[in-house]
Amino acid sequence: MMSIFTHSLVFERGARAGRRLPFTPPQMTLGRASESDIAIPDPLLSRAHCRFEMRDGYLWVVDLDSANETLVNDVPVKEQRLMFGDFVAVGDSVIRIDHAETAAPLVPAPVADEPAATPTDVVIDLGFDKPDDDAQPKKNLLRPLIWLVAAILILGVGITIIQNSTSQPTGNTITPLKQDNTLLVYYEKVEASTENIFRYELTLTADGMVAVKLDDLTGSQRHIEKEQEVATELLADLARDLEGSGFFTLNKTYTGFALNPNTLNESQITIAIGKKIHTCRLTNRSDEPDGFRAAREKLEVFTKNELGLWDINLSAEKLTELAEESLEVARKRYIERDVKYGNLFEALRNYRDAISYLDTVNPKPEFYAEVIDGFDTVKEDLRVRYEDRRFQANRASNVNDWPTAARELKIICEMIPDRNDPRHKEATQKLIDVENRLRPR
């Protein structure tokens, strides 16, 4: 089932620009009137302009017959279910829907008639463009940056080891793992081209803090930062898994060939467990050595579980590609919904996956509307068919037609194969009772 998150309203433009307001269930009204939950002195707003409310775990915005309309992603709406990353425009204010716990810095709206600065203006010059004849050659700053970060990390690891070996722990010392088995990790993934830079960074420090940073400089302009302290026993388990992954037997570098000369695809992992330290870097490799892949997957799954961030290590292009693949499978299964009882449930799962992939992608791709409409259509179709089969099973049971009741209940279990779904559990329990009645006495 989809996770239900707490939402925040991030004011990107208007009188409250730069403010992050946690959404307080079950609803919050927004308008010019002072009695509104979110009161904004904006003459373009109606006194009661719109309302944010929760419905079945989703955040909705409802226009309250405002004079100047409520827009979601530049489209006027009467009411609309909101996804993370959607923009709601009311009066002179633009509000971004975000996770409540996300701590990404707010980006102020650009000044009128002045081009807004983008990260590509200041972040990294990949050196792909040829210099002008009269200009000095541009340096490729990406690779030196990666080496610098790695050098700093290794230096920090060395200092930590020296300190651990020469000092005795005091009552104020925090030791996440037993002495000489401290776990430190640095993992960086960079995908760069002349059009985009995607960078994912994962760090695990000696004091048990795991942190993730993501910058995606495509049109979505994603920036995510999150960190959390990890329990000592989980760190010990992770250290054992990483030590047994085969990572420490790898070469230091593996280099391939870029399909496009103006692209860079590089991943680097540094792991220190006590006094054992190893770094491995892959550059433009289409395949991963087994030990590298095992360590990477363990780190990514561990971090996703601890921070609750899934698919964060994928670029917007990759997330869009995965969403489109899920949409294609959902379409096929919906067309074949009468071929196999479980196809409708699987189509709903594929639509849900597509929505999840596109959660942090902005602006949404053109097929996003089809994903949302398809999800709602399939969900309703499945509900109607389930209710019909449930009615048939109950009616058959009421007249002691146990063979028919058993058949309908089995169909329900096939329609909804998820054993954790309450509908599946109910049908299974009833089926056990019906089959007991069918046995010869």
Side-chain angles (χ1 to χ4, degrees):
M1 297 180 66
M2 291 186 67
S3 299
I4 299 176
F5 298 90
T6 303
H7 300 72
S8 280
L9 309 180
V10 181
F11 288 80
E12 301 278 15
R13 195 181 71 194
R16 291 199 174 197
R19 297 280 301 277
R20 175 184 292 271
L21 181 66
F23 172 76
T24 304
Q27 65 180 34
M28 297 175 69
T29 57
L30 182 151
R32 193 177 72 251
S34 59
E35 59 265 29
S36 298
D37 297 316
I38 308 173
I40 302 177
D42 181 356
L44 297 177
L45 291 177
S46 299
R47 289 183 57 81
H49 196 98
C50 68
R51 180 176 67 247
F52 295 91
E53 63 184 45
M54 294 298 291
R55 300 182 190 174
D56 299 325
Y58 292 96
L59 183 63
W60 286 70
V61 63
V62 180
D63 183 76
L64 302 177
D65 295 324
S66 62
N68 292 319
E69 300 183 316
T70 299
L71 289 80
V72 175
N73 299 327
D74 295 328
V75 178
V77 300
K78 290 298 182 184
E79 61 176 30
Q80 175 69 42
R81 190 177 76 187
L82 299 172
M83 306 296 293
F84 294 115
D86 282 348
F87 289 86
V88 179
V90 288
D92 194 44
S93 298
V94 175
I95 304 168
R96 175 167 55 86
I97 307 303
D98 201 358
H99 300 274
E101 68 273 24
T102 300
L106 300 180
V107 180
V111 178
D113 300 325
E114 181 179 332
T118 64
T120 52
D121 292 328
V122 296
V123 178
I124 296 173
D125 177 7
L126 295 177
F128 294 145
D129 297 329
K130 295 181 179 179
D132 297 335
D133 293 338
D134 298 330
Q136 293 295 325
K138 297 179 181 179
K139 295 182 179 180
N140 187 329
L141 300 181
L142 180 60
R143 192 178 300 277
L145 176 62
I146 295 174
W147 281 101
L148 177 61
V149 173
I152 293 173
L153 174 67
I154 294 174
L155 178 61
V157 172
I159 293 173
T160 301
I161 292 173
I162 293 173
Q163 291 174 341
N164 288 342
S165 62
T166 59
S167 62
Q168 297 297 323
T170 66
N172 297 325
T173 301
I174 300 175
T175 54
L177 298 176
K178 64 181 181 180
Q179 190 174 4
D180 296 330
N181 200 31
T182 302
L183 174 63
L184 299 99
V185 173
Y186 178 81
Y187 166 37
E188 182 184 51
K189 177 180 179 181
V190 175
E191 297 175 1
S193 68
T194 53
E195 291 79 25
N196 178 45
I197 298 175
F198 170 83
R199 181 176 179 272
Y200 168 81
E201 177 187 277
L202 183 161
T203 58
L204 180 59
T205 60
D207 57 356
M209 294 296 296
V210 60
V212 162
K213 295 181 182 179
L214 178 142
D215 287 288
D216 190 356
L217 307 185
T218 57
S220 62
Q221 296 292 311
R222 291 193 301 161
H223 175 79
I224 299 173
E225 290 188 36
K226 191 172 182 182
E227 67 177 9
Q228 182 171 309
E229 187 173 3
V230 181
T232 301
E233 57 272 18
L234 296 178
L235 291 175
D237 291 341
L238 178 61
R240 283 191 292 269
D241 289 342
L242 292 173
E243 194 162 15
S245 66
F247 176 80
F248 288 91
T249 65
L250 297 173
N251 297 333
K252 291 185 178 181
T253 60
Y254 294 85
T255 304
F257 298 94
L259 297 178
N260 188 322
N262 290 332
T263 61
L264 173 67
N265 191 323
E266 190 161 77
S267 298
Q268 175 179 301
I269 297 177
T270 297
I271 300 175
I273 303 177
K275 297 182 180 181
K276 183 187 296 185
I277 306 172
H278 189 62
T279 296
C280 182
R281 184 176 69 253
L282 308 184
T283 303
N284 294 329
R285 287 281 299 222
S286 58
D287 60 327
E288 293 177 299
D290 290 342
F292 191 95
R293 181 177 61 254
R296 176 185 59 76
E297 290 177 349
K298 291 180 185 299
L299 288 172
E300 290 177 353
V301 171
F302 175 82
T303 307
K304 291 170 183 176
N305 286 336
E306 290 304 306
L307 299 182
L309 296 173
W310 290 87
D311 304 317
I312 186 178
N313 59 313
L314 300 177
S315 65
E317 291 92 343
K318 184 60 177 179
L319 291 171
T320 302
E321 178 185 333
L322 292 172
E324 199 161 14
E325 291 174 0
S326 295
L327 173 60
E328 186 62 32
V329 175
R331 290 171 181 154
K332 184 175 184 297
R333 284 178 170 162
Y334 184 64
I335 292 173
E336 298 176 352
R337 58 190 179 278
D338 294 324
V339 176
K340 184 180 177 181
Y341 290 119
N343 278 351
L344 205 58
F345 185 87
E346 293 302 322
L348 186 64
R349 178 178 291 170
N350 294 133
Y351 276 118
R352 185 181 291 114
D353 288 343
I355 293 172
S356 177
Y357 286 135
L358 297 175
D359 187 19
T360 60
V361 175
N362 288 298
K364 306 298 185 193
E366 292 183 358
F367 63 85
Y368 181 69
E370 180 184 350
V371 171
I372 297 299
D373 291 343
F375 177 83
D376 292 338
T377 299
V378 173
K379 184 178 181 180
E380 178 63 16
D381 196 346
L382 180 62
R383 185 193 68 79
V384 170
R385 293 182 182 223
Y386 162 74
E387 293 293 346
D388 178 64
R389 293 292 180 179
R390 185 170 182 266
F391 172 79
Q392 298 295 340
N394 289 339
R395 184 173 65 176
S397 297
N398 290 337
V399 296
N400 296 333
D401 184 359
W402 306 120
T404 299
R407 183 183 69 247
E408 296 298 326
L409 290 170
K410 288 178 180 177
I411 290 175
I412 291 176
C413 290
E414 291 182 39
M415 287 175 58
I416 305 173
D418 183 0
R419 297 178 183 274
N420 293 320
D421 193 298
R423 296 168 295 183
H424 183 99
K425 290 181 178 180
E426 180 191 60
T428 300
Q429 292 172 352
K430 289 182 177 180
L431 181 59
I432 292 173
D433 178 67
V434 169
E435 288 180 337
N436 285 335
R437 297 176 183 275
L438 287 171
R439 290 175 183 158
R441 300 291 180 179

